[in-house]
Amino acid sequence: MSIQYPIGEFSVCEEDINENKINTWIMEIEKFPRLLRKVVEELTEDELNIPYRTEGWTVRQLIHHLADSHLNAYLRVKLALTEENPMIKDYQQDQWARLEDYHLPIEVSLSMIETVHLRWTVVLKSLSIHDWERTFVHPESGQLSIGKAIGMYAWHGRHHLAHITSKHKGEK
C-alpha cells in the first residue's frame, strides 16, 4: 500500500464512463459526509493534529482541505453546466492549508461538507447523459468532463478517508 495513494491513483478513460459508474460515484459523493464524520468522530484533539503521513498535512488540515476541495468541485460543475467550457480558477491547496481557518474545530468543515454535498448531489442527480459530457478547463490538467470530474471527486473522498483510517487503524 502506498502511503501517499492508499487506494491507488485516480484513473479512468472518458470512454469507460457509463451510467452505472456515474450513479455509483454520485452515491459515493452523497454518502461521503456521513462516512467522514463516522471516521473522525472518535479522534482526540491530539490525533487531529498528527500528520497522516510524514511531511503531510495533519488530519485537521485534511478535513478542512476536503471542505475547500469539494466546494470548488461543486462550483466547477455548476460553471460547466451554465457556461461553455469555462476556464476554472486553480488554488494553491498547500498554501490554503497554512491559513488560520485550518486551525478551526473540524465541526466547521464537517458541517460545510454536509451542506455542500447535499446541494452537489441534488445537482448531480438531475444531470442527463449529455450533461456528463459538458466540460471545464483546469489551468494545469486541461479539459475535463463533468462525468470524469464526478469520478475524480468520488475517488478524492475515498482517497482521504483511507489516509485517515490507515493512520488511526488499531491506535485506539
Side-chain angles (χ1 to χ4, degrees), residues 55-118:
E55 296 184 26
W57 291 334
T58 66
V59 175
R60 179 184 312 279
Q61 288 173 306
L62 184 61
I63 293 165
H64 292 309
H65 159 73
L66 284 161
D68 287 341
S69 175
H70 291 196
L71 174 61
N72 273 284
Y74 166 64
L75 294 173
R76 290 168 178 177
V77 168
K78 289 186 76 164
L79 286 169
L81 290 170
T82 59
E83 299 176 21
E84 286 303 315
N85 201 35
M87 173 69 77
I88 56 112
K89 176 90 173 85
D90 197 9
Y91 66 99
Q92 301 302 314
Q93 63 185 20
D94 288 328
Q95 291 179 29
W96 283 34
R98 293 186 195 106
L99 296 174
E100 194 59 30
D101 63 329
Y102 273 56
H103 297 285
L104 286 168
I106 63 170
E107 183 56 39
V108 173
S109 284
L110 292 173
S111 296
M112 184 175 165
I113 291 166
E114 288 168 349
T115 303
V116 167
H117 276 247
L118 174 62

Side-chain angles (χ1 to χ4, degrees), residues 78-168:
K78 289 186 76 164
L79 286 169
L81 290 170
T82 59
E83 299 176 21
E84 286 303 315
N85 201 35
M87 173 69 77
I88 56 112
K89 176 90 173 85
D90 197 9
Y91 66 99
Q92 301 302 314
Q93 63 185 20
D94 288 328
Q95 291 179 29
W96 283 34
R98 293 186 195 106
L99 296 174
E100 194 59 30
D101 63 329
Y102 273 56
H103 297 285
L104 286 168
I106 63 170
E107 183 56 39
V108 173
S109 284
L110 292 173
S111 296
M112 184 175 165
I113 291 166
E114 288 168 349
T115 303
V116 167
H117 276 247
L118 174 62
R119 292 190 63 188
W120 191 13
T121 301
V122 167
V123 171
L124 294 177
K125 287 181 174 181
S126 74
L127 300 182
S128 68
I129 293 171
H130 173 72
D131 292 330
W132 303 339
E133 297 169 357
R134 293 187 63 90
T135 58
F136 59 84
V137 179
H138 187 282
E140 291 180 9
S141 307
Q143 186 169 289
L144 190 67
S145 72
I146 289 175
K148 191 168 185 176
I150 293 169
M152 188 173 69
Y153 284 101
W155 170 87
H156 187 252
R158 290 191 317 271
H159 167 72
H160 285 310
L161 279 173
H163 282 140
I164 297 167
T165 58
S166 65
K167 176 64 183 167
H168 295 285

